[in-house]
Amino acid sequence: MFPRKPDQFWPLLWGGAAALLAGGLVLEHEFGRPGVGEGARPPARVADANLLPPFRLDPEPQAGTETLARPLFVPNRRPPPPAAAAGEVKKGQYVLQGTSVVGSLAIAFLKDVSSGKVEAVAKGAEIGGMKVAEVLPEKVVLRSGEDSETLPLLVAKGGGNP
């Protein structure tokens, strides 16, 4: 029934697969025609969109004062403090948490006393209206105009075991 040599088997297999595919196509062509939906169709209906009116702010100027005074996405719901005047360093605003000095790259980690947020700033960058003038392993100098503040790195010295 089957040929004994493998070289004779593959043409028969491919021929059978082609015959099955051709038979399936003929059956689909003859019996696969849909009977529903033939003929003219009625026109599509247009949907009515019930939209909201356009957004407008209240024209009264005092209407949103409380919303502006207490911003929603600020953790303490208070507006930011006013910026320091130019040329004036607000002393005690930052505490030095650490430094990283590698070659010409010098980074200081400064903690804002009021918010508790620690920021990494490179030498020459600006933070809170002050320029980071100098970053050394044990101190950082902040300058604003002629005024400056030196932040020392406070490290607890261990007594060691006797």
Side-chain angles (χ1 to χ4, degrees):
M1 178 163 178
F2 288 106
R4 302 233 181 236
K5 294 181 182 178
D7 295 340
Q8 295 173 351
F9 176 70
W10 290 110
L12 287 177
L13 181 67
W14 287 109
L20 282 174
L21 182 61
L25 289 174
V26 168
L27 287 174
E28 179 70 28
H29 180 68
E30 291 299 321
F31 300 110
R33 295 183 193 160
V36 180
E38 291 180 359
R41 293 184 179 172
R45 291 182 297 154
V46 176
D48 292 329
N50 296 326
L51 300 176
L52 294 173
F55 177 76
R56 285 183 285 143
L57 290 175
D58 197 6
E60 300 175 26
Q62 71 273 10
T65 55
E66 186 65 24
T67 304
L68 295 175
R70 297 176 50 114
L72 183 61
F73 297 109
V74 175
N76 62 3
R77 301 281 313 265
R78 300 287 180 253
E88 175 184 321
V89 173
K90 185 178 176 187
K91 298 196 187 271
Q93 182 179 1
Y94 294 102
V95 176
L96 182 61
Q97 295 288 305
T99 59
S100 177
V101 180
V102 180
S104 64
L105 178 66
I107 297 175
F109 299 97
L110 301 175
K111 179 179 178 182
D112 189 352
V113 175
S114 61
S115 68
K117 183 178 176 184
V118 177
E119 294 186 43
V121 290
K123 180 179 177 181
E126 192 170 306
I127 182 168
M130 298 176 283
K131 184 178 179 180
V132 180
E134 206 174 331
V135 177
L136 298 171
E138 62 280 336
K139 70 178 181 177
V140 170
V141 178
L142 301 176
R143 283 207 178 98
S144 179
E146 297 297 320
D147 200 8
S148 68
E149 178 182 13
T150 302
L151 303 175
L153 181 60
L154 303 175
V155 179
K157 304 283 184 185
N161 291 335

